[in-house]
Amino acid sequence: MPLAARLLLAFGLVAIIATAFVGLTLREASREIIESGFADRIDAAHAGVRQQLAWEAEALRDLLPPFCQHDTFVDKAHVELERAKGDPDAMDPTSRIALRRLVPSQAKALRLDALSLVAANGSVLAAEDASRIGARDPRLAEAIKAPGGAPRLRPAKAGGEPSLEVHCALSRHGVTIGLVGARRIGPVLARIGDAYHVRLTAAPEGGPAPRSGEAEVVRVLDVPEIPGLDVVASVSREPLRQALARLDRSIALTGATVLAIALGIAVVLARSLSRPIAALARETREVMSGAPRRVEGRGGREIADLAAAFNATIDELAAMRKRLAATERIAARREVARQIAHEIKNPLAPIRAAVETLRRLRQREDPAFDDYFEEATSTVLNEVHRIANIVTEFTRFARLPAPNPEPVDLVAIARGVVTLHAAPAGEETGGTTGGAASPRVELVAEPIPKVSADRDQLIQVLTNLVQNGLEAAGAVRRDPRVSVTIGPLPNDRVRIVVRDNGPGVAEDMVPRLFEPYATSKEKGTGLGLAIAQRIVFEHGGEIGYRKAQKGGAVFEIWLPVGGPPLLEKPPGDTTVRPRAPDVP
């Protein structure tokens, strides 16, 4: 993965992870703060409810007793009830009408939600609600019999809504009459709830305790000032959801902004880092494919240190290249000198024998001297010519220059060599071949890039392989043919295959095929393939031989497109061993 892509991915992941971590932490902290705010509001509402209800209870405690002790309308009602012998139905209608008008006005003056004038049997003599007049309520009868005191809770089932209820009673001459007043708790709870933004309601008597849910936070509050009263406080979670939704949008927007900024920084940083690295890599590739030279490190101290280390390595490799080249040539010359010494011994033997024979015949003044002289001098001249050829080939091998690479069209080079050798034999010699088939050389090439190589040396290699193929095939066939195939290979390489339809190389010659002076030809010097191998190796390539499945020799050459490397290997260490045939 490129450095720029890695930096983009790393910065993107860091931005996403950091935003997610901070966002989730902030979201959880905000949720806890809002939840604690709900709890604080409920606690404050609880304190307010207790305080307000305690005040209401204290105010109601002393509200009705003065009316039963010395108020005129209660005394008049008691006198009328006493005249009726305690029977409410026997009371004077005029008095009852007056009471019906008086009680509602008193309830309004006392700010009571309910006020009833009740006889001992529970009959309602007058009330703020006219529909209740004349009804008999046993609970009210029990209430006025109880001693007065602190307000008590009137359950909702008794009056439709929980209320604080107080009473007073007047008993004389065996007749009892009482006032029962009530003030609803709901308005008090609503007023306090509005102040603290909490919904407060009286808990239903005998029902299940409400619980918190997804929609709201619920808590049951105990009010010890009013025995039996439980208040349900609830706060809607909608503000929490809205706040969290706004926070989520803010986190998402912030994350997108942070991600964009991180990617922008990564792009700038990647360019500032990758450009000098890419430039250094390009320069190193150029160095490896061309002549050694120093590279420049730009972009930071680390890049400069890397370039300095590379330059030091290049200097050492260049020096090593020179030493290896010198060692290689010395080793090659030693080997060739040994081979020459061996080859020269063969023609020296007949030369020596001819000269010694001439000397003996001359000393004896043998008449056969003149006849043998012609034969002996011819032998000496032939062998001397043979020695001269050996020396000439050695000189060519020893003076083979280093490659001078330049971008060349390998297909065009091969086409020129093929065209030169594809001419019929009769046209080459200016005569006929006595009916023998003309040699044929063909080229099959795929598109390949230009190769950095020495044009003349590649022509020399291809010429040698094509000529060897034609000679080997022509020795056993009337239709000698050579095929040259050129195509691309992976890793920026090209392949050249030279295939003939001859007998192939003898098995005993395969291990020594590329050694100097190793040949099976009668007139060959054995330096052609050695020179070809050396040229290929100095170009950073490989050369190998295999036998085709249908017969014939196949030579394959692999060359790098970039040209000779910085450091070549000695030919003795890079000889390509024969491979099993894999192409017909």
Side-chain angles (χ1 to χ4, degrees):
M1 184 182 294
L3 177 61
R6 291 184 180 182
L7 286 176
L8 287 174
L9 181 60
F11 274 71
L13 288 177
V14 169
I16 293 173
I17 293 174
T19 303
F21 178 76
V22 174
L24 291 177
T25 303
L26 181 61
R27 191 179 192 276
E28 184 64 20
S30 300
R31 188 188 64 79
E32 292 178 358
I33 291 174
I34 296 175
E35 292 277 5
S36 64
F38 291 163
D40 292 341
R41 285 158 53 186
I42 292 176
D43 290 340
H46 186 197
V49 165
R50 293 185 59 184
Q51 182 179 4
Q52 185 66 26
L53 291 180
W55 182 86
E56 290 285 343
E58 187 65 25
L60 289 174
R61 177 192 300 271
D62 301 325
L63 186 63
L64 294 183
F67 286 89
C68 292
Q69 293 175 3
H70 48 72
D71 190 81
T72 305
F73 91 91
V74 176
D75 287 340
K76 288 181 178 181
H78 185 271
V79 170
E80 293 296 331
L81 185 60
E82 185 178 355
R83 288 177 182 175
K85 308 283 186 196
D87 183 7
D89 295 333
M91 290 181 64
D92 180 46
T94 304
S95 299
R96 296 188 64 173
I97 292 174
L99 291 174
R100 290 178 182 178
R101 292 177 180 178
L102 185 60
V103 169
S105 63
Q106 290 293 335
K108 185 176 181 181
L110 296 175
R111 294 187 300 109
L112 293 175
D113 297 308
L115 181 61
S116 302
L117 183 61
V118 184
N121 62 355
S123 295
V124 179
L125 303 178
E128 90 292 347
D129 184 5
S131 63
R132 297 176 54 228
I133 297 175
R136 182 172 294 183
D137 189 344
R139 189 187 68 81
L140 295 180
E142 294 295 330
I144 63 176
K145 293 178 181 179
R152 60 186 176 275
L153 178 66
R154 186 178 74 179
K157 64 181 180 179
E161 184 177 354
S163 303
L164 288 179
E165 188 178 68
V166 293
H167 75 280
C168 66
L170 176 60
S171 297
R172 283 192 305 229
H173 309 293
V175 177
T176 301
I177 193 171
L179 279 176
V180 179
R183 187 174 290 173
R184 290 185 292 114
I185 297 177
V188 177
L189 298 180
R191 186 172 62 254
I192 297 175
D194 291 341
Y196 294 100
H197 303 288
V198 178
R199 188 165 64 90
L200 299 174
T201 58
E205 184 179 1
R211 296 182 180 180
S212 299
E214 293 294 332
E216 58 184 4
V217 178
V218 178
R219 188 195 300 177
V220 178
L221 308 179
D222 181 32
V223 183
E225 290 78 7
I226 309 297
L229 175 64
D230 289 330
V231 177
V232 177
S234 60
V235 179
S236 175
R237 291 183 182 270
E238 186 61 27
L240 174 62
R241 286 196 294 269
Q242 294 177 356
L244 293 180
R246 290 195 300 270
L247 183 60
D248 290 340
R249 290 193 294 270
S250 299
I251 292 173
L253 180 60
T254 303
T257 304
V258 172
L259 180 61
I261 295 174
L263 293 180
I265 296 175
V267 170
V268 174
L269 187 59
R271 288 181 178 179
S272 63
L273 290 178
S274 62
R275 282 181 178 178
I277 294 176
L280 182 61
R282 183 178 63 254
E283 291 185 9
T284 55
R285 286 194 297 269
E286 293 175 357
V287 168
M288 295 303 296
S289 61
R293 61 182 178 84
R294 300 182 67 82
V295 298
E296 297 183 7
R298 307 178 184 88
R301 187 180 64 183
E302 294 78 6
I303 303 297
D305 293 342
L306 177 61
F310 181 80
N311 290 331
T313 304
I314 288 296
D315 294 339
E316 181 64 24
L317 290 177
M320 186 181 299
R321 177 184 182 184
K322 294 179 181 179
R323 292 195 298 269
L324 286 177
T327 304
E328 172 194 340
R329 293 180 181 273
I330 292 173
R333 289 169 183 171
R334 287 178 178 176
E335 178 62 21
V336 173
R338 185 185 66 80
Q339 295 286 350
I340 288 177
H342 175 74
E343 294 292 329
I344 290 179
K345 286 181 181 179
N346 293 332
L348 287 179
I351 291 175
R352 180 178 181 178
V355 172
E356 288 178 349
T357 300
L358 285 176
R359 287 174 61 85
R360 287 196 303 269
L361 293 177
R362 180 66 177 170
Q363 289 176 358
R364 293 196 308 243
E365 296 182 357
D366 193 324
F369 176 81
D370 293 334
D371 295 336
Y372 184 71
F373 181 80
E374 183 65 25
E375 179 182 352
T377 53
S378 178
T379 300
V380 170
L381 290 175
N382 288 337
E383 295 301 329
V384 169
H385 180 67
R386 180 180 172 187
I387 293 175
N389 288 338
I390 294 174
V391 173
T392 299
E393 293 294 330
F394 166 70
T395 303
R396 288 177 54 198
F397 182 76
R399 292 181 178 178
L400 184 66
N404 184 22
E406 60 180 355
V408 298
D409 189 344
L410 185 57
V411 176
I413 293 175
R415 186 177 292 112
V417 174
V418 168
T419 302
L420 179 64
H421 293 83
E427 295 181 7
E428 292 178 352
T429 60
T432 62
T433 59
S438 300
R440 178 185 174 208
V441 183
E442 61 179 359
L443 173 65
V444 179
E446 300 179 22
I448 60 171
K450 286 191 175 184
V451 179
S452 179
D454 190 309
R455 176 185 296 273
D456 295 334
Q457 291 188 2
L458 289 187
I459 292 176
Q460 184 178 357
V461 171
L462 289 175
T463 300
N464 181 277
L465 294 179
V466 171
Q467 287 180 349
N468 286 349
L470 290 175
E471 292 175 2
V476 297
R477 301 177 67 98
R478 297 176 59 84
D479 58 340
R481 288 180 293 125
V482 175
S483 173
V484 179
T485 304
I486 298 178
L489 284 177
N491 301 325
D492 292 331
R493 296 186 303 165
V494 295
R495 180 177 68 172
I496 306 172
V497 180
V498 180
R499 181 187 291 105
D500 62 57
N501 62 345
V505 179
E507 293 296 331
D508 59 338
M509 279 296 300
V510 172
R512 303 174 53 244
L513 190 59
F514 295 100
E515 293 181 3
Y517 295 100
T519 181
S520 59
K521 300 179 182 178
E522 294 182 359
K523 298 182 180 180
T525 60
L527 288 176
L529 289 179
I531 293 175
Q533 184 197 48
R534 180 171 172 180
I535 291 174
V536 171
F537 284 162
E538 289 186 347
H539 278 76
E542 300 176 2
I543 183 171
Y545 163 80
R546 60 181 172 81
K547 189 172 183 179
Q549 293 180 351
K550 296 181 179 180
V554 178
F555 287 89
E556 293 189 18
I557 298 174
W558 300 271
L559 293 175
V561 174
L566 175 65
L567 184 64
E568 299 89 359
K569 300 178 181 179
D573 296 336
T574 56
T575 300
V576 179
R577 300 303 179 190
R579 298 186 307 163
D582 54 1
V583 179

